[in-house]
C-alpha cells in the first residue's frame, strides 16, 4: 500500500467512528482502528498522532478558512455581519464534505477528552475571527472592529457557528447550513434585544416604585 494513499485517512476516520460507536471511545485502541481500516498500527501514526485526532481530521484548516473569509467579506459590512457572511460561506462548503455527523457528535459528547479537544478547536476559530476583524480595514477601508468588539463578536459568532451546525445535523439534510445559521443569528438577536429591553424598562430599575400617580403622598390619608 502506498505510504500516502489518499483514501486511507477517510478509511481510518470511518473505522474509528464505527468502533467508537460500537464499543465506546475509551474501549478502543489505535491497533483496532488500524486493523479495521486495513493498515498496520505503525502506518496509522503517519496520519494521526493518537486515537483522538482521527475524529478531527481537517479541523486544523478551519480557522484559516474562516479568517480569510472574514477578510474577504463586504467592506461595508459591520464586524458581525462580515463574520456571519464568512461563516455561512465556509460552513456551507464544510458540510458538503462531512459524513455521519450525528454519530460523531454523540461520540464526542460521551468523552470528556474529546469535549476538551472540541473546545480547543472552537477557541482556535474564535481567535481566527478576532484576528481577522482587527485586520479588516487596514488596507482597504473596510469596517474595522476595535479590540473589545472584535473579541465579543468572535465569541458570539463561534457560539452561533456551533449552534447552527447542531441545527444542520438535526435537520437531516432538510435544511442547508446557511439557513440554519440565519435562524440561530435571528434567535440570538431577538433574545439579546428582549433581555436588554426588559433590563431597561423603568419597573426593572433599582429603587423604582411603580406608577407615581398611585403612590400615597406623605401626610395624606
Amino acid at each position: 500500500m502506498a505510504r500516502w494513499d489518499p483514501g486511507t485517512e477517510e478509511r481510518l476516520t470511518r473505522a474509528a467512528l464505527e468502533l467508537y460507536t460500537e464499543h465506546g471511545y475509551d474501549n478502543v485502541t489505535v491497533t483496532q482502528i488500524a486493523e479495521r481500516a486495513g493498515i498496520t498500527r505503525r502506518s496509522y501514526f503517519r496520519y494521526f498522532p493518537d486515537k483522538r485526532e482521527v475524529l478531527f481530521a481537517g479541523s486544523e484548516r478551519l480557522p484559516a478558512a474562516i479568517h480569510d473569509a472574514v477578510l474577504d467579506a463586504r467592506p461595508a459590512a459591520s464586524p458581525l455581519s462580515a463574520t456571519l457572511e464568512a461563516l455561512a460561506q465556509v460552513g456551507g462548503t464544510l458540510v458538503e464534505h462531512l459524513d455521519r455527523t450525528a454519530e460523531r457528535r454523540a461520540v464526542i459528547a460521551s468523552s470528556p477528552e474529546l469535549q476538551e479537544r472540541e473546545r480547543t478547536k472552537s477557541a482556535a476559530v474564535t481567535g481566527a475571527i478576532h484576528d481577522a476583524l482587527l485586520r479588516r480595514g487596514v488596507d482597504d477601508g473596510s469596517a474595522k472592529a476595535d479590540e473589545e468588539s472584535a473579541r465579543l463578536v468572535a465569541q458570539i459568532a463561534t457560539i452561533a457557528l456551533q449552534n447552527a451546525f447542531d441545527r444542520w445535523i438535526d435537520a437531516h439534510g432538510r435544511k442547508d447550513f446557511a439557513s440554519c445559521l440565519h435562524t440561530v443569528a435571528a434567535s440570538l438577536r431577538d433574545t439579546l434585544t428582549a433581555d436588554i429591553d426588559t433590563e431597561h424598562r423603568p419597573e426593572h430599575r433599582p429603587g423604582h416604585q411603580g406608577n407615581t400617580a398611585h403612590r400615597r403622598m406623605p401626610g395624606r390619608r
Side-chain angles (χ1 to χ4, degrees), residues 46-166:
R46 295 171 182 164
Y47 296 90
F48 301 104
D50 53 41
K51 72 172 190 175
R52 178 186 65 175
E53 289 303 311
V54 69
L55 284 181
F56 298 91
S59 65
E60 71 281 356
R61 298 190 291 271
L62 183 60
I66 293 175
H67 179 277
D68 292 345
V70 172
L71 290 179
D72 292 339
R74 293 177 298 113
S78 68
L80 182 57
S81 293
T83 303
L84 292 176
E85 288 176 12
L87 294 182
Q89 174 192 332
V90 175
T93 301
L94 173 66
V95 297
E96 292 177 357
H97 303 284
L98 297 179
D99 188 30
R100 304 180 71 170
T101 50
E103 293 174 71
R104 177 183 177 276
R105 181 176 62 177
V107 170
I108 292 175
S110 72
S111 167
E113 180 183 348
L114 295 176
Q115 291 173 37
E116 178 60 31
R117 177 63 180 86
E118 185 84 341
R119 285 191 289 270
T120 300
K121 185 184 73 172
S122 295
V125 168
T126 302
I129 295 171
H130 173 267
D131 292 346
L133 289 175
L134 291 179
R135 285 191 56 190
R136 273 176 61 85
V138 172
D139 299 319
D140 60 5
S142 301
K144 182 176 180 292
D146 57 35
E147 173 67 32
E148 183 176 356
S149 63
R151 182 171 61 252
L152 182 59
V153 168
Q155 292 169 345
I156 291 173
T158 303
I159 293 172
L161 174 63
Q162 184 58 61
N163 278 268
F165 188 56
D166 285 337

